[in-house]
Structures are given as structure tokens and as C-alpha cells.
Amino acid sequence: MPRQHGGGDEVANLALACSHCNLHKGPNWAGIDPGAGALISLFHPRRQQWSEHFHLPGIWINGSTDVGRATVRVLEMNESSRLELRENLRARGVLD
């Protein structure tokens, strides 16, 4: 829960995220699913499994559910610098 909505800084309320995703998420709890145009809760890393909502064909992250699609959009997970980073990681054998 973001501080803006009453959340604290205790470990149980924190999630590890890169600065790119953290800055894009901000206090958002939801986003628009570009497929359906509906307001959808964002992916919750403690309650949901990544593999159920996203897949990674190559370097592009695709949302496979409404939650995944809304999260990819809000966090701008396929922004050019993110794609470049994943491409470099894949070339080094770090990303399968």
C-alpha cells in the first residue's frame, strides 16, 4: 500500500523493484487494460505469480491477463531503455 494511501515502510509493505518500475508505479493501484479498456488492479508480487500474468518472448514483456496488460502499460515495461537492458542481459546469457 503506497504511503499516500496510508501504507507504511515496514518490510511487509515493501516490494523490491527497479527504480524505473518504482517511479512509474508511484501511488497507482490500478491501470487501464489496453485490450478491454477497463480499470484493472496492478500485479501484486506477494499475492500473484509472475508467470500467470506475463510472458517474455524474446525481450518484450507481454501481459497474458488483464492484470498483466495493465501493469505492463502503467510501468512502461517495454520502454526502449528496458528493451535495451533485456537485450544486453540476454546477450550475456543472464536472461534466458
Side-chain angles (χ1 to χ4, degrees), residues 53-66:
H53 297 280
F54 308 95
H55 62 281
L56 185 65
I59 59 171
W60 193 268
I61 296 176
N62 289 326
S64 51
T65 64
D66 54 357

Side-chain angles (χ1 to χ4, degrees), residues 62-88:
N62 289 326
S64 51
T65 64
D66 54 357
V67 168
R69 290 185 298 270
T71 302
V72 167
R73 183 178 191 192
V74 170
L75 274 55
E76 297 186 19
M77 296 168 87
N78 291 312
E79 187 265 334
S80 62
S81 68
R82 303 287 88 194
L83 295 174
E84 184 178 332
L85 173 63
R86 287 195 290 275
E87 188 172 44
N88 288 334

Side-chain angles (χ1 to χ4, degrees), residues 2-85:
R3 281 187 233 163
Q4 178 175 333
H5 298 294
D9 59 3
E10 61 276 358
V11 172
N13 191 49
L14 301 177
L16 182 61
C18 70
S19 60
H20 176 90
C21 289
N22 193 39
L23 290 171
H24 281 87
K25 183 191 175 294
N28 294 312
W29 285 17
I32 302 295
D33 170 9
L39 185 65
I40 302 295
S41 295
L42 297 179
F43 175 73
H44 192 296
R46 287 207 173 95
R47 296 183 187 147
Q48 297 170 309
Q49 293 294 315
W50 196 93
S51 60
E52 293 178 16
H53 297 280
F54 308 95
H55 62 281
L56 185 65
I59 59 171
W60 193 268
I61 296 176
N62 289 326
S64 51
T65 64
D66 54 357
V67 168
R69 290 185 298 270
T71 302
V72 167
R73 183 178 191 192
V74 170
L75 274 55
E76 297 186 19
M77 296 168 87
N78 291 312
E79 187 265 334
S80 62
S81 68
R82 303 287 88 194
L83 295 174
E84 184 178 332
L85 173 63

